[in-house]
Amino acid sequence: EAKIMDQTKIEKKKQREAKELARRERQVKFKENKFYLIYLFMILSLVFITDEIASTISIQFQSNIVNEFFVNKMGMTYGEGLSLFSALGIITYPISLLMVVYRPLADKFGRKPFLVLNTFCMALGLFIVYLSQDIVVYMIGGTLMGFMVSHDMQAVYILECSSEKNRARNYSITKAIAILGTLLVPLLRETLMKNVSERWHLVYLVPAIIGFVLSFVALLCAKETHVFLENRIKYLKTPLEEREKKSKEEKMNNAQGGIKNAIKFSFKHHQLRCLIIACAFFYLASLATATYNTVMKESAGMTEEQITYALYLYPVGNAL
């Protein structure tokens, strides 16, 4: 009976893969018009802007957040509130370990679903923070943003849709444009927030709306990358029996998603393991530089208007 059940599972898997193979082959044969790459890169640049804003906006409003949730509502001193806020941020870091499981799924299901999903969830996180009236709701929105910005699916799109010769150039230009796009934050501080500390929530609303719109546009306009399609078709065309016979090392190098594959691949693949360690050191170092808003507000005694002007300089230097 066990053999019959295993055989049934294998047959079902073969049928599913045959259907997917037919679908992927139709997708790879689809010819985009000559303007496709132009509007695709426009969409990706805007998604990148949303990503960059979601990455830095909480740092830029650190003093406003601490004052509202900890000083005004909990009666703490600013130092106590900042310490607790920082501690809560560290507690959410283990959630980023889910990246080991989540990211490899794009190798199985495609780049497009995750471009749409990541953009939508970043926008949702921004919107939740806009609605937040207490630290719990804020942390939910902030954690969702923090998890999604780590995947950079728009960067994967740029690299896979560019020729090998122009890949680095296209990525650098798009990244610089995205960072310049974060000038939207000080602009919104000056116009929508009007440099009034208590109105900081409003700045989160505009990038949230932009993110929701872009996720819908990406769903309608973006096509799956040819790099993914070719690799996936090659994988699906390999007979199931042949895949099973491959060595463990070959299986690891050709992992197509799944929790076990993701975890094994992350810790056994030398390059990825080194990147994970490097990222750990990077994030530890970034903690020491993530308080510039507090330094301006509490240490230097700058007004909201002066902080806004200072924030106009940050994206320009970063982009350069």
Side-chain angles (χ1 to χ4, degrees):
E1 288 183 9
K3 286 184 178 180
I4 293 172
M5 288 178 67
D6 288 341
Q7 191 62 37
T8 304
K9 286 181 181 179
I10 291 171
E11 289 302 320
K12 286 183 177 179
K13 186 174 182 179
K14 285 182 177 180
Q15 289 173 8
R16 284 198 308 270
E17 290 190 349
K19 289 179 182 178
E20 184 186 351
L21 177 60
R23 177 163 57 88
R24 298 301 186 191
E25 286 180 331
R26 288 196 300 271
Q27 288 177 327
V28 80
K29 288 177 183 176
F30 181 82
K31 299 293 182 183
E32 298 94 356
N33 63 56
K34 59 182 180 180
F35 299 110
Y36 170 71
L37 279 181
I38 295 173
Y39 68 72
L40 175 65
F41 273 77
M42 288 174 61
I43 294 169
L44 295 176
S45 296
L46 292 171
V47 171
F48 228 141
I49 290 172
T50 306
D51 182 280
E52 289 294 326
I53 290 175
S55 300
T56 59
I57 192 168
S58 295
I59 299 172
Q60 293 172 333
F61 285 99
Q62 187 180 69
S63 63
N64 308 80
I65 295 163
V66 171
N67 278 320
E68 177 171 333
F69 293 136
F70 299 99
V71 178
N72 297 337
K73 293 188 176 181
M74 297 185 187
M76 297 181 178
T77 64
Y78 188 87
E80 291 171 340
L82 180 59
S83 296
L84 181 55
F85 185 44
S86 300
L88 289 172
I90 293 171
I91 289 170
T92 64
Y93 277 14
I95 295 174
S96 63
L97 293 174
L98 292 173
M99 176 171 58
V100 174
V101 176
Y102 181 78
R103 181 171 285 181
L105 294 177
D107 292 330
K108 183 175 183 179
F109 297 105
R111 313 308 192 204
K112 179 177 176 177
F114 292 94
L115 176 68
V116 175
L117 180 62
N118 292 358
T119 307
F120 180 83
C121 288
M122 280 191 288
L124 182 60
L126 287 161
F127 189 68
I128 290 172
V129 172
Y130 162 70
L131 296 175
S132 64
Q133 295 300 314
D134 58 62
I135 189 61
V136 175
V137 177
Y138 170 85
M139 291 304 297
I140 292 170
T143 303
L144 183 60
M145 280 191 293
F147 181 74
M148 288 302 168
V149 298
S150 63
H151 300 292
D152 288 337
M153 190 52 66
Q154 67 281 357
V156 175
Y157 252 88
I158 292 165
L159 296 174
E160 291 192 353
C161 291
S162 302
S163 64
E164 188 174 344
K165 181 182 177 182
N166 299 323
R167 193 172 292 152
R169 184 197 65 187
N170 289 350
Y171 175 79
S172 298
I173 291 171
T174 310
K175 178 76 170 180
I177 292 170
I179 295 171
L180 283 174
T182 61
L183 286 167
L184 180 65
V185 173
L187 180 64
L188 291 172
R189 283 176 63 100
E190 192 170 358
T191 55
L192 200 60
M193 179 179 155
K194 299 187 184 301
N195 290 317
V196 177
S197 180
E198 293 74 19
R199 293 166 59 90
W200 65 270
H201 292 266
L202 291 172
V203 180
Y204 280 77
L205 179 60
V206 174
I209 293 171
I210 293 172
F212 285 132
V213 172
L214 285 173
S215 64
F216 182 69
V217 172
L219 179 65
L220 294 180
C221 300
K223 307 296 181 187
E224 192 56 77
T225 70
H226 280 272
V227 172
F228 165 76
L229 290 173
E230 289 167 4
N231 287 337
R232 187 64 180 167
I233 288 170
K234 182 180 178 181
Y235 175 83
L236 292 171
K237 281 186 173 180
T238 305
L240 194 59
E241 294 77 9
E242 188 177 326
R243 282 183 243 157
E244 294 295 328
K245 290 178 183 177
K246 284 185 178 180
S247 67
K248 288 185 178 180
E249 186 178 350
E250 286 179 308
K251 285 183 181 180
M252 292 297 296
N253 290 333
N254 292 284
Q256 293 285 310
I259 294 174
K260 283 180 66 178
N261 285 337
I263 294 172
K264 288 179 181 178
F265 188 81
S266 297
F267 291 101
K268 289 188 177 181
H269 190 278
H270 175 73
Q271 185 181 33
L272 185 55
R273 185 172 66 249
C274 289
L275 286 172
I276 290 172
I277 294 169
C279 281
F281 282 106
F282 171 81
Y283 284 122
L284 286 171
S286 70
L287 289 173
T289 60
T291 57
Y292 57 83
N293 181 267
T294 288
V295 172
M296 289 190 285
K297 180 82 174 195
E298 300 299 319
S299 301
M302 294 168 64
T303 64
E304 290 293 337
E305 186 176 10
Q306 290 171 328
I307 291 172
T308 296
Y309 290 146
L311 291 178
Y312 275 117
L313 299 175
Y314 176 78
V316 176
N318 201 355
L320 288 173

